[in-house]
Amino acid sequence: MAYAPVTITTNAQLLRTVTDDEFALDPAEEAVIAGFVAKPVGTTAVGKELVLRKIAAHTASKYAGAGGLPASLNTNANAEVAVTLPIAYAYAMGELDEASLTRLVQEGGYRNGYRKQMALAVNGQIDIDLFALAASLSHSETGASVTETMYASALKQLAKYAKNKFKIGETDVRLFVHPDVLDDVLVMPLAKEYQIRGSAGSAVSGQLATSFGIKIEESGNVLQSAGHTYCPLVLKDAFAIGYNRTPSALPEQQDGLHTRMIYRAEYACGEWFDSSGVVLDIS
């Protein structure tokens, strides 16, 4: 018996192509250090530049008189220090064509996803600027990989130079590492001990911390340059940031048949206390 089967060639007009209703997002780095660093009082609007004021440490003198009331005392005349930080403007902008929007059908979902990706880009740029400061820190540990010895030595330096600002096991300290060296950190006994024994609720909280309570976070925005990876171990006031505009979206702008979307931030960031940071320079 002769027959004619239905095939994808002969009966192509019967076949259906389905496009999902979801707009999935490509991976992007999220901000991790911008939310941690210091935001000094009065920096919610910083104008054309941000100036951070500091009072220098004093050194005590001893009175060496023979007796009686102290006289002829020496005064401290330390030069005070101010750090001036320039303004930066980070933005992400896109234009959506009218015809494209109408033919998307799921226009709302696309707009929402587009805004999320722009927000990640702008917040990520702020992190990039902050992580770039690590290379300029005066105190460092160098090596081919992150080791427990290097880590302990970095903590020793932090305790030495941050002085009263650092109390081991009490002060909020962060180590930010690039994913390229995350495997070194994960096998450090100091980190594994916390995961096995636990000390802050469940040992499987998913947060990596060492036996000294130092929180470790990873980010692909950690500075890599000329074969070096600069992983900062910092207190909050090692770096500082102030804003004229916190990361946010402008109202959508219509330009003929195009809809313009802009997400932006205006800020100033920089090193505040060099003594509050140590960089692990991995090369």
Side-chain angles (χ1 to χ4, degrees), residues 148-215:
E148 194 159 80
T149 299
M150 175 190 289
Y151 178 75
S153 184
L155 281 177
K156 179 178 72 175
Q157 288 205 61
L158 194 60
K160 178 179 179 180
Y161 296 109
K163 302 181 188 300
N164 63 320
K165 293 183 179 182
F166 175 61
K167 296 289 187 295
I168 193 163
E170 299 179 16
T171 308
D172 191 359
V173 185
R174 306 288 173 91
L175 172 63
F176 296 94
V177 300
H178 195 278
D180 286 349
V181 299
L182 182 60
D183 54 343
D184 296 334
V185 177
L186 291 175
V187 298
M188 284 185 356
L190 285 176
K192 289 195 297 181
E193 181 182 355
Y194 177 89
Q195 296 300 322
I196 295 170
R197 295 175 57 190
S199 61
S202 172
V204 290
S205 64
Q207 293 185 345
L208 183 62
T210 74
S211 300
F212 302 121
I214 312 304
K215 187 175 181 182

Side-chain angles (χ1 to χ4, degrees), residues 22-30 110 112-121:
E22 177 185 359
F23 292 98
L25 305 181
D26 266 347
E29 292 291 345
E30 62 182 350
Y110 184 77
N112 289 336
Y114 205 89
R115 291 190 191 99
K116 289 178 182 178
Q117 292 292 55
M118 289 197 299
L120 285 168

Side-chain angles (χ1 to χ4, degrees), residues 89-92 118 122 245-251 262-266:
Y89 191 94
Y91 71 93
M118 289 197 299
V122 171
R245 288 283 184 270
T246 55
S248 55
L250 284 169
I262 301 174
Y263 199 94
R264 87 298 194 211
E266 188 173 68

Side-chain angles (χ1 to χ4, degrees), residues 57-114:
H58 284 244
T59 301
S61 301
K62 292 178 65 177
Y63 177 65
L69 295 175
S72 301
L73 302 182
N74 296 319
T75 60
N76 286 309
N78 293 332
E80 309 300 354
V81 179
V83 180
T84 302
L85 308 177
I87 292 295
Y89 191 94
Y91 71 93
M93 184 178 77
E95 289 188 341
L96 309 179
D97 176 70
E98 177 71 14
S100 298
L101 286 178
T102 58
R103 297 169 195 180
L104 273 172
V105 182
Q106 291 88 8
E107 176 187 339
Y110 184 77
R111 284 176 183 265
N112 289 336
Y114 205 89

Side-chain angles (χ1 to χ4, degrees), residues 31-47:
V32 295
I33 193 172
F36 171 71
V37 300
K39 299 169 184 63
V41 176
T43 59
T44 54
V46 298

